[in-house]
């Protein structure tokens, strides 16, 4: 797990879609999706339910998001 992957998750949730998050992060949608899948595999959880209409958070994903936000916020405070 990397800080970048945590930022990706937070950005996806804030944007509401992987494709919109990819645009905001200036990376390709497949690269972002692969990074999320790698993180899910590493953590042994599913963060997002994927379907043709978009994504929704899983129960594990919601819990993971709260920790990811804390880490990202604390990192931003340290960088100031």
């Amino acid at each position: 797990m990397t800080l970048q992957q945590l930022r990706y998750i937070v950005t996806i949730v804030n944007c509401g879609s992987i494709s919109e998050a990819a645009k905001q992060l200036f990376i390709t949608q497949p690269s972002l999706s692969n990074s999320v899948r790698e993180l899910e595999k590493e953590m042994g959880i599913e963060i997002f339910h994927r379907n043709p209409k978009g994504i929704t958070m899983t129960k594990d994903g919601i819990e993971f998001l709260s920790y990811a936000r804390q880490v990202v916020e604390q990192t931003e405070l340290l960088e100031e």
Side-chain angles (χ1 to χ4, degrees):
M1 171 180 11
T2 66
L3 181 58
Q4 183 176 24
Q5 286 173 313
L6 297 179
R7 286 185 171 138
Y8 286 173
I9 298 300
V10 171
T11 303
I12 291 168
V13 172
N14 290 343
C15 290
S17 78
I18 292 176
S19 58
E20 187 58 38
K23 289 177 191 175
Q24 200 172 80
L25 293 162
F26 303 104
I27 62 174
T28 65
Q29 184 271 328
S31 295
L32 182 55
S33 292
N34 287 338
S35 182
V36 171
R37 280 194 191 93
E38 288 173 16
L39 178 59
E40 289 175 324
K41 184 177 178 182
E42 180 182 341
M43 299 303 296
I45 62 171
E46 186 179 19
I47 298 171
F48 298 108
H49 285 296
R50 295 158 182 85
N51 60 54
K53 294 183 180 183
I55 58 168
T56 56
M57 299 286 297
T58 63
K59 183 180 176 184
D60 287 338
I62 292 168
E63 184 177 350
F64 183 83
L65 176 63
S66 68
Y67 293 116
R69 281 188 170 144
Q70 288 177 24
V71 171
V72 170
E73 289 171 7
Q74 292 299 314
T75 302
E76 289 170 355
L77 287 173
L78 286 171
E79 290 173 348
E80 289 180 359

